Amino acid sequence: MESRITASRRTALGRMVLTVSALLLLCRSAVASCECGYSIADPDSDAGGTLVFTDMFETDFTKLDNITLSRHWERMEFNVSAEDGRGKYGKRFMRDNIDTQISRFQEDGSDDAGLGLRVGGELTDEAVPAAELDSYRSDLHWGSYRAGMKTTGVNGTCAAFFWYFNDTQEIDIEFLSRESDSENDIYPLNLVLQTPESKQAGYDAIGTGSYRRVNLTFDPSAAFHEYRFDYLGDRVLFYADSKLLADMRGKGVPSVGGHLILSHWSNGNGNWSGGPPEKDALLTVNYVKAYFNSSDPDVLSEKVEACSSSNTTDTEDAVCAIPKVTADDARTGGRFFGPMEDGEGGEGRAIDEEDGASSVVWGVPIALVTVVSVAMCLMGAV
Ligand SMILES: *[C@@H]1O[C@H](CO)[C@@H](O)[C@H](O)[C@H]1NC(C)=O
Ligand SMILES: *[C@@H]1O[C@H](CO)[C@@H](O)[C@H](O)[C@H]1NC(C)=O
Ligand SMILES: *[C@@H]1O[C@H](CO)[C@@H](O)[C@H](O)[C@H]1NC(C)=O
Ligand SMILES: *[C@@H]1O[C@H](CO)[C@@H](O)[C@H](O)[C@H]1NC(C)=O
Ligand SMILES: *[C@@H]1O[C@H](CO)[C@@H](O)[C@H](O)[C@H]1NC(C)=O
Ligand SMILES: *[C@@H]1O[C@H](CO)[C@@H](O)[C@H](O)[C@H]1NC(C)=O
Ligand SMILES: *[C@@H]1O[C@H](CO)[C@@H](O)[C@H](O)[C@H]1NC(C)=O
Ligand SMILES: *[C@@H]1O[C@H](CO)[C@@H](O)[C@H](O)[C@H]1NC(C)=O
């Protein structure tokens, strides 16, 4: 972050522009601080209708010094036997395979930042070392769920971003590294709703109508991209970089609240994960954003109450439109609404730091700009 700020401050003019933009941003966020929720375009509306979610949490893993500081995520530690996991080997999920200090997992030369989830290249007691991170909140109901991720190029793992209630109420985005064929530019992505039907078929959703294998137009292991699913009343929509990949409806769509999970594993089952990998394999997650309605009626009504008591003259102004992340900004995740996690920089603090540093040298001009900007803000000019 230091270098980004330094680079953009080459000239006095640049500095002023930066400060004015920062202040205008503060001004705008003072006007719209999302008291009434977060919106996406309604997929059923041609007339610009929106769907609103009242709750959210966001984690920018690139700014989280230590995953143990997270208020939203818990690293899991458990074993799954080969038999229970329907694999050739067991799975050993270990906290030590998850870290935001990812240099210890990386080969030299990578400057990626984020959360690393490692699958070990060496078996321990006939089990493959794996990684799983769960959200603490388990009241995630209708919502729009997004993760910035870069998958592994190592053959033989399954990387997943999913929503889970139980084995028959589950929404999955799964990457099988064995399926990526860079020679022919084919990058399949598996989109699954686990349903009572897929349970009957031995958790094989293929052929149950709630499974789709789509081809991505990019190599998911070459760069960060945003993967998203919108879990709505009667359907689940899947996206990559805000482009629609699949729209699933019907009985398979879950109905309850659940939690979010990030995982990276292998068990040697040639029909799914393949592997085990010949060397350590790394999934890197740079952020997760969850915008949702709570399935807990008390939490939901608290949010509705917060909106109506926020004294906003116009409720629509108090709803923030969730920006669409594209391939160009998937590396940073674009805009975060905050509040950020403890130990994270985040949007708010970045602005404070810029103002603080600027005022050392630019005290007088900044003061003038501040007065003008605040006046403009109060006059409603922006
Ligand atoms: C979320 O809850 C709010 C408040 O009850 C409601 O107005 C809104 O329609 C809900 N959103 C969805 C997508 O169901
Ligand atoms: C992260 O925090 C935990 C718990 O406080 C500590 O044991 C660990 O050493 C920290 N990791 C780093 C890399 O500082
Ligand atoms: C998983 O299995 C290993 C032995 O293979 C054992 O040392 C470890 O304690 C187990 N972990 C849990 C959480 O049960
Ligand atoms: C999952 O939860 C649903 C809803 O409560 C229930 O009907 C179903 O039987 C559960 N499935 C399993 C495998 O427990
Ligand atoms: C991964 O390994 C399997 C088994 O050896 C092979 O069939 C598959 O083509 C490999 N995939 C890639 C992407 O190399
Ligand atoms: C994905 O690409 C493969 C190989 O070209 C092709 O056989 C398959 O039909 C494609 N899948 C879709 C859904 O277009
Ligand atoms: C893989 O799928 C084939 C065909 O459906 C099946 O015969 C085989 O038992 C499966 N292998 C595993 C390890 O599940
Ligand atoms: C809203 O207005 C009422 C009455 O004017 C006041 O008591 C309350 O503190 C205000 N709430 C907020 C969040 O500003």
Side-chain angles (χ1 to χ4, degrees):
M1 197 163 68
E2 261 336 293
S3 63
R4 196 184 75 213
I5 293 168
T6 313
S8 62
R9 285 218 196 126
R10 297 247 163 72
T11 64
L13 186 63
R15 216 175 265 225
M16 296 291 274
V17 169
L18 201 69
T19 310
V20 174
S21 336
L23 286 164
L24 294 188
L25 203 62
L26 277 178
C27 168
R28 288 185 69 89
S29 59
V31 173
S33 51
C34 320
E35 302 95 324
C36 296
Y38 308 86
S39 68
I40 57 168
D42 181 347
D44 286 327
S45 161
D46 299 327
T50 57
L51 295 178
V52 176
F53 305 112
T54 61
D55 213 334
M56 69 95 146
F57 67 85
E58 294 170 328
T59 303
D60 183 348
F61 290 109
T62 68
K63 301 204 171 101
L64 190 62
D65 295 331
N66 189 328
I67 186 63
T68 63
L69 297 172
S70 178
R71 283 182 288 121
H72 299 304
W73 298 98
E74 180 179 24
R75 293 171 304 158
M76 305 308 286
E77 182 113 11
F78 61 100
N79 293 327
V80 179
S81 69
E83 193 186 0
D84 288 351
R86 297 171 298 280
K88 200 162 162 188
Y89 301 98
K91 295 181 272 193
R92 183 166 178 195
F93 290 93
M94 297 163 75
R95 289 193 189 98
D96 194 45
N97 285 333
I98 305 181
D99 207 326
T100 47
Q101 316 247 336
I102 53 173
S103 53
R104 76 179 179 95
F105 295 151
Q106 284 165 325
E107 288 176 11
D108 294 342
S110 170
D111 61 353
D112 290 343
L115 180 78
L117 290 93
R118 172 177 59 182
V119 173
E122 277 179 36
L123 298 177
T124 64
D125 292 327
E126 292 298 293
V128 185
E132 179 177 311
L133 191 77
D134 289 13
S135 72
Y136 286 115
R137 286 191 72 165
S138 58
D139 62 336
L140 311 179
H141 204 197
W142 318 129
S144 184
Y145 302 99
R146 300 142 189 244
M149 300 196 284
K150 182 173 162 181
T151 63
T152 183
V154 178
N155 194 343
T157 74
C158 175
F161 170 49
F162 64 111
W163 173 97
Y164 183 86
F165 173 70
N166 67 18
D167 286 350
T168 55
Q169 301 242 346
E170 179 175 338
I171 303 168
D172 280 318
I173 295 183
E174 295 184 84
F175 302 83
L176 304 178
S177 58
R178 70 176 172 84
E179 293 185 330
S180 279
D181 176 358
S182 52
E183 253 168 52
N184 297 302
D185 263 349
I186 298 165
Y187 306 106
L189 181 64
N190 297 279
L191 308 171
V192 188
L193 304 182
Q194 295 291 5
T195 63
E197 290 72 37
S198 64
K199 185 187 176 200
Q200 271 178 1
Y203 295 102
D204 186 355
I206 299 172
T208 62
S210 57
Y211 170 80
R212 228 45 82 71
R213 178 187 283 158
V214 299
N215 291 324
L216 295 170
T217 56
F218 51 80
D219 177 353
S221 71
F224 287 97
H225 293 274
E226 184 183 89
Y227 302 92
R228 159 181 164 198
F229 53 89
D230 290 356
Y231 166 29
L232 306 174
D234 57 348
R235 65 213 286 205
V236 179
L237 299 142
F238 295 89
Y239 299 83
D241 295 333
S242 304
K243 293 201 185 88
L244 186 66
L245 298 174
D247 178 350
M248 293 189 200
R249 306 176 193 225
K251 279 188 303 186
V253 176
S255 52
V256 296
H259 58 263
L260 284 180
I261 302 180
L262 292 161
S263 78
H264 195 201
W265 57 273
S266 177
N267 65 2
N269 180 334
N271 288 343
W272 197 250
S273 73
E278 281 175 358
K279 54 178 182 170
D280 285 5
L282 190 66
L283 164 69
T284 311
V285 181
N286 54 354
Y287 65 89
V288 174
K289 300 175 175 180
Y291 307 98
F292 57 95
N293 275 359
S294 175
S295 56
D296 179 333
D298 293 339
V299 175
L300 184 63
S301 55
E302 230 170 68
K303 296 289 173 185
V304 173
E305 180 61 25
C307 166
S308 55
S309 66
S310 66
N311 295 351
T312 46
T313 45
D314 185 350
T315 305
E316 263 178 41
D317 263 359
V319 173
C320 296
I322 307 165
K324 285 185 176 173
V325 167
T326 62
D328 291 334
D329 54 4
R331 195 176 171 89
T332 60
R335 177 158 188 213
F336 290 78
F337 293 110
M340 306 307 285
E341 290 249 35
D342 297 341
E344 275 182 46
E347 193 171 73
R349 203 175 88 189
I351 291 166
D352 291 347
E353 278 174 4
E354 281 174 24
D355 286 351
S358 301
S359 59
V360 175
V361 185
W362 295 94
V364 174
I366 295 292
L368 279 173
V369 169
T370 307
V371 169
V372 173
S373 306
V374 169
M376 282 166 68
C377 179
L378 290 176
M379 283 155 52
V382 284

